[in-house]
Amino acid sequence: MNNVTVTVGTVTYAIKLRKLLSRAGIRSRLVKVEGAAGGAGCTHGVEIDRSDFLNTIVIMKENGIPYSVK
């Protein structure tokens, strides 16, 4: 599986995104991203298959979830 991690900043957004992706039939897993956001602290993200990336971005935009991609 060729994965990409979409970072969302908070565990709340990560959990919400994972639930939305599950409802859409997209497999994902929660991950903790060390040193994100300019190297300070950590953030949370959701790892998905690269083939689901565009659908994930659409879901995030429709649901007001801010993101960045690692």
Side-chain angles (χ1 to χ4, degrees), residues 5-6 12 15-16 26 28-30 32 38 51-52 54-55 58 61 63 69:
T5 300
V6 181
T12 303
I15 292 168
K16 179 178 179 179
I26 298 173
S28 64
R29 73 180 187 104
L30 296 177
K32 194 169 186 180
S51 65
D52 294 318
L54 293 178
N55 289 334
V58 169
K61 287 182 178 181
N63 291 279
V69 178

Side-chain angles (χ1 to χ4, degrees), residues 8 10-31 45-48 55-56 59-60 63 65:
V8 291
T10 68
V11 70
T12 303
Y13 277 133
I15 292 168
K16 179 178 179 179
L17 177 57
R18 188 165 194 290
K19 287 179 183 179
L20 291 167
L21 293 175
S22 179
R23 287 185 205 141
I26 298 173
R27 292 178 54 182
S28 64
R29 73 180 187 104
L30 296 177
V31 293
V46 177
E47 189 175 81
I48 58 169
N55 289 334
T56 298
I59 289 169
M60 293 174 72
N63 291 279
I65 299 174

